[in-house]
Amino acid sequence: MITSDEIKKRLWDGANELRGSMNASQYMDYMLGLMFYKFLSDKTLDQVRATEMLHDLTEAELLEHYEKLYKAYQDKYIELIRQPLGYYIPPEYLYQRWMKDINEGRFELQIVTDSLNNFERTIASNQNPDDFENLFSSLDLTNQALGKDLNTRSKNIKSLIALFADLNMVALQKSDILGDAYEYLIGMFAMESGKKAGEFYTPRQVSEVLAQVVATSGPIASIYDPAVGSGSLLLTVKQHLSQQAQKELMYYGQEKNTATYNLTRMNLLLHGVRPEKMTVRNADTLAQDWPEDPERPNEACQFDAVVMNPPYSLKNWNSEGLTLSDPRFSFVGAMPPDSAGDYAFLLHGLYHLGQQGTMAIVLPHGVLFRGGAEGAIRKRLIDKNYIDAVIGLPSNLFTNTGIPVCVIVLKKNRALGEPIVMIDGSQYFVKVKTQNILQDKDVARIIDTYTSRIETESYSHLASLEEIKRNDYNLNIPRYVEPIETEIPHHVDGHLYGGIPKEDFNRLSIIMSIAQDIVKNHLSEVREGFYKVEAIDSLQVEVLQSPNIETERKTLEAHINTFVEKYWNILKSVSSETNLADLKAAMLDDAKYLFVDIPWVDSYEAYQVVAELWHQKFTTDLEIIAANDFYDAAIMTEPHMVIKGSGKTKRVEQDGVIGRLIPNDLIEHFLFSEERDKVDSYQANLDFLEAELGELIEAAKEESSDEYYALNDLLKRDDDDEVKDAFDAARVNKTLKKLAKTDESFGLVKKTYDLLERIKKIKKSIKDDRKSLDEKVYGRFETLTHEEIDQLMWNKWFGTITNDIGKILEAHVLKELDILSMLNERYSDTLQSIDLEINNLEKSLEEMMKELVLE
């Protein structure tokens, strides 16, 4: 079984290798389109297998059988395939037939074009044409970006076809791996596409905020995204619903860009959304209202949830000349300005929101405070009690804009007088290269604050209508949530006369509560109310080793042990029936209570540690265990393939095996520690000798040095006679044989020769011992006992969790100790000491001037 992570890596690596210099957003259409066509072909053959009960046939045999039946009973047989699927693919147009033609050397690019064009004609007459119509219209196989001539284009498409050839798309869809991989590729192409990504992709973390806001607000039977892009927002909401709710959910979306509209439909279908459950339209959302209620003409459909990440501040959006007669805008009595379409999208979504529903939309911060028509609309929305929350997010979350954005949550059923939840999440993120990223803990903090409607200093506030009115209906978050004060103000007297002001110690709430006596023992009073820290390095050690810190550590370890014990057997016992999403949610929720007895540590920091375990280990491991059983999966291996040779001799060969669940180095560490220590010892010795040899090489390059005259001619050189960072061993050996022991250079040449020989010998020992150790590890998988497997997997999953979470506790203490050290340094130089230093420098200068002799 292939895991989601394995297929993601394979497909993305393949995409990078095959697309060459083609623009990522262009190549995406070809890759994802052909991947989807493989899915349709696999579904067709799978239906043939089910119809004929041909479960024992190979794919090649099944294709041959299908060809015979199709030829003999064409019309009658077509309906057997088309009725359950809504379409069918004739044998000559199947993806598998393409591969057969490629393998037999008779593939022509035209067959792909003919296959894609034929597909529409195979759709059942009772099928909604929006489901599959023009699905592959974006795949222009004559595009010279694929290659300047037919042969090059054909070669590139063949390589892309081969990328998916051995994947069983039907099986992958059943395990949700296919949809996850498709969504992953969309996200990766978005990252590569830069500004163009905004047309089709919402970053996963932003999608999570929107999805969880609506999913936690009440039951959802229908959902609508008026700027649907790739459909990722709809699918993220789906993930947070119960299995039963997912089966019944109705999806609606509208997208102006045709290529993106095609991508939406493919994405939904690959995620197992039935065609009759989705209604997606290729049109301009703002130009004309949609959708209408089919049972009540001229009345809008309303939905349990509306989510949206529309284009920001879209200019000239009202090209159709819409007026207040449009019911989407009339209920607020003002038209959004043509210069910015933000409120036009918001009002469209709100118009389609059901009375018990929830809407979440991402917009630029300007909508919170801009005046004019937007100010009038905002006032009306507040007065009508529609705005439920405003959530500020960090800047630079998107690839297509660096501006900060906010999420506005709207409801039509809010209780009178209910405050608006204001959340400032703008300071909670990590920077990855040039992009800011919301971590799992940041999303969880936002959702918990929103659902519990709590106030937290410098993070959230419940703003009443009266308070908002006092601010002239301005919803700019800093008016309601004071930003975190990170800078400690400078004290003038402290700078003038020295010493840390007494009030600054109040900012060190942690160390002053758990180690106050230790801190006081290291303070000397400079004068009343001002102190100097003595022996600050010693203070840090004493605080970290204090009894109170040790008590906190033990309490934390007890919580961690309880947590691990609770989930150890649950994780081992997962099966195909286990809902991994629910298991993950339960673990993460419990992680928030690991710091419950330590109020000065943020509970969400432990949450992030456990979230990372899921990202790095649990997700992939549990997919394997669910399909194979814990102990069976633990001894599974797969070939370790390596590239050997280069150029024409380049080849891929198997070099041993690697564990699917248990890493080889874990077996080394716990079951072959002596052998591993021996190899590590050799390696340490090798590193030392190579460093010594490196010093000789550098010295041999320095003209006028002894090494230069003795060794420079022994360095390797390239074809242009440029010196390389290595000695020519053969030349060193030959030169040493010619030299007499009395020669001046003999010692340096002999030293070089000895180093090269010792390095050569150690490298051979490492190679031999490494090979022996690897072979022992390869053979050990089959003989692992249940006790050994438990030991290895416990260490893989939980071996570092106590240390990782313990570091969080210490980090908060160390941060305050660093602040104390900074304050001590800040006020160490007083006005008096500076004056004294100036006087001393002036005196020194006078003495020097006296010693100067004029000639």
Side-chain angles (χ1 to χ4, degrees), residues 152-366:
T152 305
R153 291 196 293 275
S154 179
K155 178 183 176 183
N156 290 336
I157 289 295
K158 281 195 294 184
S159 298
L160 190 49
I161 290 170
L163 187 62
F164 310 113
D166 65 332
L167 296 178
N168 184 334
M169 300 296 192
V170 175
L172 292 174
Q173 189 200 39
K174 288 177 182 176
S175 59
D176 292 331
I177 291 175
L178 183 61
D180 287 349
Y182 205 75
E183 188 75 11
Y184 169 80
L185 289 173
I186 292 172
M188 294 301 288
F189 277 120
M191 289 176 63
E192 294 284 315
S193 298
K195 290 190 175 182
K196 195 172 177 61
E199 297 178 10
F200 61 86
Y201 187 69
T202 302
R204 184 188 65 81
Q205 303 85 358
V206 178
S207 291
E208 282 290 331
V209 173
L210 295 170
Q212 291 187 46
V213 161
V214 299
T216 57
S217 296
I220 298 176
S222 61
I223 184 169
Y224 176 41
D225 184 346
V228 72
S230 65
S232 64
L233 258 175
L234 297 177
L235 292 166
T236 307
V237 174
K238 172 196 172 189
Q239 293 171 3
H240 292 282
L241 303 180
S242 68
Q243 293 295 315
Q244 186 59 38
Q246 289 185 29
K247 292 176 183 177
E248 298 173 357
L249 185 62
M250 299 296 295
Y251 301 80
Y252 285 77
Q254 189 161 213
E255 174 55 46
K256 183 177 181 180
N257 182 289
T258 301
T260 309
Y261 160 69
N262 292 337
L263 186 60
T264 307
R265 294 184 291 164
M266 294 180 196
N267 200 11
L268 291 174
L269 289 164
L270 282 176
H271 277 84
V273 178
R274 297 280 306 168
E276 65 271 16
K277 292 290 184 181
M278 66 185 213
T279 305
V280 187
R281 183 171 181 248
N282 184 200
D284 186 339
T285 288
L286 299 182
Q288 183 179 6
D289 186 33
W290 180 88
E292 289 184 347
D293 189 331
E295 297 180 3
R296 292 187 289 274
N298 300 318
E299 287 190 29
C301 280
Q302 291 192 319
F303 304 95
D304 298 322
V306 176
V307 289
M308 200 185 333
N309 176 27
Y312 300 149
S313 301
L314 183 65
K315 296 183 185 302
N316 304 315
W317 66 270
N318 194 5
S319 58
E320 300 295 320
L322 301 173
T323 66
L324 279 178
S325 61
D326 190 316
R328 294 176 294 173
F329 311 120
S330 61
F331 75 103
V332 292
M335 284 294 296
D338 196 36
S339 59
D342 301 315
Y343 273 105
F345 281 107
L346 184 150
L347 294 174
H348 173 91
L350 184 59
Y351 180 63
H352 287 279
L353 182 66
Q355 289 301 313
Q356 305 302 315
T358 302
M359 173 179 169
I361 182 172
V362 186
L363 290 172
H365 268 275

Side-chain angles (χ1 to χ4, degrees), residues 22 209 216 329 347 401 469 651 761:
M22 184 184 287
V209 173
T216 57
F329 311 120
L347 294 174
T401 178
K469 285 181 177 179
R651 63 198 183 280
K761 184 177 179 180

Side-chain angles (χ1 to χ4, degrees), residues 3 12 118 154 195 232 267 370 377-378 408-409 471 574 578 595 604 657 732 742 767 794-795 800:
T3 67
W12 182 243
N118 176 78
S154 179
K195 290 190 175 182
S232 64
N267 200 11
R370 289 195 298 246
I377 292 171
R378 186 172 61 249
I408 300 180
V409 185
N471 279 295
V574 298
T578 305
F595 283 116
Y604 291 98
V657 297
V732 171
T742 55
K767 182 180 178 181
W794 190 93
N795 275 280
T800 64

Side-chain angles (χ1 to χ4, degrees), residues 204 430 438-444 588 591-592 602-616 805 808:
R204 184 188 65 81
V430 293
L438 288 174
Q439 294 183 284
D440 296 76
K441 66 178 181 180
D442 304 323
V443 175
L588 290 173
K592 285 186 277 189
D602 185 352
S603 62
Y604 291 98
E605 296 188 59
Y607 181 102
Q608 187 63 34
V609 172
V610 177
E612 292 301 327
L613 285 176
W614 273 89
H615 292 316
Q616 297 166 11
I805 295 180
I808 294 171

